[in-house]
PDB file of all heavy atoms in Angstrom:
ATOM      1  N   GLY A  64     -41.054 -21.188  14.045  1.00 92.00           N
ATOM      2  CA  GLY A  64     -41.985 -22.144  13.321  1.00 92.00           C
ATOM      3  C   GLY A  64     -42.805 -21.569  12.128  1.00 92.00           C
ATOM      4  O   GLY A  64     -43.268 -22.398  11.344  1.00 92.00           O
ATOM      5  N   VAL A  65     -42.890 -20.329  12.048  1.00 93.00           N
ATOM      6  CA  VAL A  65     -43.730 -19.684  10.969  1.00 93.00           C
ATOM      7  C   VAL A  65     -43.103 -19.860   9.550  1.00 93.00           C
ATOM      8  O   VAL A  65     -41.798 -20.002   9.574  1.00 93.00           O
ATOM      9  CB  VAL A  65     -44.227 -18.334  11.170  1.00 93.00           C
ATOM     10  CG1 VAL A  65     -44.905 -18.229  12.525  1.00 93.00           C
ATOM     11  CG2 VAL A  65     -42.995 -17.330  11.234  1.00 93.00           C
ATOM     12  N   ASP A  66     -43.835 -19.687   8.492  1.00 93.00           N
ATOM     13  CA  ASP A  66     -43.053 -19.652   7.208  1.00 93.00           C
ATOM     14  C   ASP A  66     -42.184 -18.508   7.132  1.00 93.00           C
ATOM     15  O   ASP A  66     -42.504 -17.404   7.604  1.00 93.00           O
ATOM     16  CB  ASP A  66     -44.082 -19.637   6.107  1.00 93.00           C
ATOM     17  CG  ASP A  66     -44.892 -20.892   5.876  1.00 93.00           C
ATOM     18  OD1 ASP A  66     -44.486 -21.956   6.364  1.00 93.00           O
ATOM     19  OD2 ASP A  66     -45.994 -20.873   5.283  1.00 93.00           O
ATOM     20  N   LEU A  67     -41.034 -18.659   6.416  1.00 96.00           N
ATOM     21  CA  LEU A  67     -40.107 -17.547   6.236  1.00 96.00           C
ATOM     22  C   LEU A  67     -40.701 -16.567   5.320  1.00 96.00           C
ATOM     23  O   LEU A  67     -41.000 -16.852   4.178  1.00 96.00           O
ATOM     24  CB  LEU A  67     -38.754 -18.076   5.663  1.00 96.00           C
ATOM     25  CG  LEU A  67     -37.691 -18.658   6.541  1.00 96.00           C
ATOM     26  CD1 LEU A  67     -36.525 -19.085   5.699  1.00 96.00           C
ATOM     27  CD2 LEU A  67     -37.312 -17.634   7.635  1.00 96.00           C
ATOM     28  N   PRO A  68     -40.819 -15.261   5.769  1.00 96.00           N
ATOM     29  CA  PRO A  68     -41.392 -14.297   4.842  1.00 96.00           C
ATOM     30  C   PRO A  68     -40.536 -13.841   3.700  1.00 96.00           C
ATOM     31  O   PRO A  68     -40.927 -13.421   2.686  1.00 96.00           O
ATOM     32  CB  PRO A  68     -41.763 -13.124   5.782  1.00 96.00           C
ATOM     33  CG  PRO A  68     -40.804 -13.232   6.952  1.00 96.00           C
ATOM     34  CD  PRO A  68     -40.625 -14.759   7.111  1.00 96.00           C
ATOM     35  N   TYR A  69     -39.198 -14.016   3.971  1.00 97.00           N
ATOM     36  CA  TYR A  69     -38.214 -13.516   2.997  1.00 97.00           C
ATOM     37  C   TYR A  69     -37.061 -14.597   2.788  1.00 97.00           C
ATOM     38  O   TYR A  69     -35.935 -14.252   3.029  1.00 97.00           O
ATOM     39  CB  TYR A  69     -37.548 -12.188   3.495  1.00 97.00           C
ATOM     40  CG  TYR A  69     -38.482 -11.131   3.885  1.00 97.00           C
ATOM     41  CD1 TYR A  69     -38.661 -10.858   5.237  1.00 97.00           C
ATOM     42  CD2 TYR A  69     -39.183 -10.413   2.967  1.00 97.00           C
ATOM     43  CE1 TYR A  69     -39.587  -9.815   5.675  1.00 97.00           C
ATOM     44  CE2 TYR A  69     -40.116  -9.475   3.354  1.00 97.00           C
ATOM     45  CZ  TYR A  69     -40.329  -9.201   4.706  1.00 97.00           C
ATOM     46  OH  TYR A  69     -41.173  -8.222   5.112  1.00 97.00           O
ATOM     47  N   PRO A  70     -37.490 -15.690   2.161  1.00 97.00           N
ATOM     48  CA  PRO A  70     -36.525 -16.804   2.033  1.00 97.00           C
ATOM     49  C   PRO A  70     -35.357 -16.397   1.097  1.00 97.00           C
ATOM     50  O   PRO A  70     -34.255 -16.984   1.291  1.00 97.00           O
ATOM     51  CB  PRO A  70     -37.244 -17.961   1.511  1.00 97.00           C
ATOM     52  CG  PRO A  70     -38.531 -17.333   0.865  1.00 97.00           C
ATOM     53  CD  PRO A  70     -38.800 -16.197   1.702  1.00 97.00           C
ATOM     54  N   ASP A  71     -35.572 -15.537   0.083  1.00 97.00           N
ATOM     55  CA  ASP A  71     -34.549 -15.145  -0.796  1.00 97.00           C
ATOM     56  C   ASP A  71     -33.536 -14.384  -0.086  1.00 97.00           C
ATOM     57  O   ASP A  71     -32.345 -14.082  -0.692  1.00 97.00           O
ATOM     58  CB  ASP A  71     -35.121 -14.270  -1.897  1.00 97.00           C
ATOM     59  CG  ASP A  71     -35.928 -13.114  -1.423  1.00 97.00           C
ATOM     60  OD1 ASP A  71     -36.622 -13.173  -0.386  1.00 97.00           O
ATOM     61  OD2 ASP A  71     -35.736 -12.033  -2.033  1.00 97.00           O
ATOM     62  N   ARG A  72     -33.680 -13.872   1.055  1.00 98.00           N
ATOM     63  CA  ARG A  72     -32.665 -13.071   1.759  1.00 98.00           C
ATOM     64  C   ARG A  72     -31.665 -13.918   2.523  1.00 98.00           C
ATOM     65  O   ARG A  72     -30.681 -13.505   3.078  1.00 98.00           O
ATOM     66  CB  ARG A  72     -33.293 -12.117   2.831  1.00 98.00           C
ATOM     67  CG  ARG A  72     -34.191 -11.084   2.190  1.00 98.00           C
ATOM     68  CD  ARG A  72     -34.670 -10.065   3.307  1.00 98.00           C
ATOM     69  NE  ARG A  72     -35.711  -9.235   2.728  1.00 98.00           N
ATOM     70  CZ  ARG A  72     -36.320  -8.209   3.420  1.00 98.00           C
ATOM     71  NH1 ARG A  72     -35.980  -7.981   4.654  1.00 98.00           N
ATOM     72  NH2 ARG A  72     -37.258  -7.471   2.810  1.00 98.00           N
ATOM     73  N   VAL A  73     -32.022 -15.242   2.755  1.00 98.00           N
ATOM     74  CA  VAL A  73     -31.272 -16.100   3.566  1.00 98.00           C
ATOM     75  C   VAL A  73     -30.343 -16.972   2.642  1.00 98.00           C
ATOM     76  O   VAL A  73     -30.840 -17.671   1.767  1.00 98.00           O
ATOM     77  CB  VAL A  73     -32.186 -16.984   4.428  1.00 98.00           C
ATOM     78  CG1 VAL A  73     -31.265 -18.026   5.292  1.00 98.00           C
ATOM     79  CG2 VAL A  73     -33.142 -16.190   5.351  1.00 98.00           C
ATOM     80  N   VAL A  74     -29.020 -16.976   2.916  1.00 98.00           N
ATOM     81  CA  VAL A  74     -28.062 -17.710   2.088  1.00 98.00           C
ATOM     82  C   VAL A  74     -27.205 -18.603   2.967  1.00 98.00           C
ATOM     83  O   VAL A  74     -26.721 -18.110   4.002  1.00 98.00           O
ATOM     84  CB  VAL A  74     -27.104 -16.747   1.367  1.00 98.00           C
ATOM     85  CG1 VAL A  74     -26.125 -17.542   0.513  1.00 98.00           C
ATOM     86  CG2 VAL A  74     -27.993 -15.820   0.471  1.00 98.00           C
ATOM     87  N   THR A  75     -26.997 -19.771   2.648  1.00 98.00           N
ATOM     88  CA  THR A  75     -26.109 -20.714   3.420  1.00 98.00           C
ATOM     89  C   THR A  75     -25.013 -21.219   2.478  1.00 98.00           C
ATOM     90  O   THR A  75     -25.311 -21.525   1.248  1.00 98.00           O
ATOM     91  CB  THR A  75     -26.892 -21.929   3.856  1.00 98.00           C
ATOM     92  OG1 THR A  75     -27.949 -21.463   4.847  1.00 98.00           O
ATOM     93  CG2 THR A  75     -25.911 -22.822   4.724  1.00 98.00           C
TER      94      THR A  75
END
Side-chain angles (χ1 to χ4, degrees):
V65 301
D66 288 341
L67 275 180
Y69 309 106
D71 56 318
R72 298 185 190 182
V73 181
V74 179
T75 302

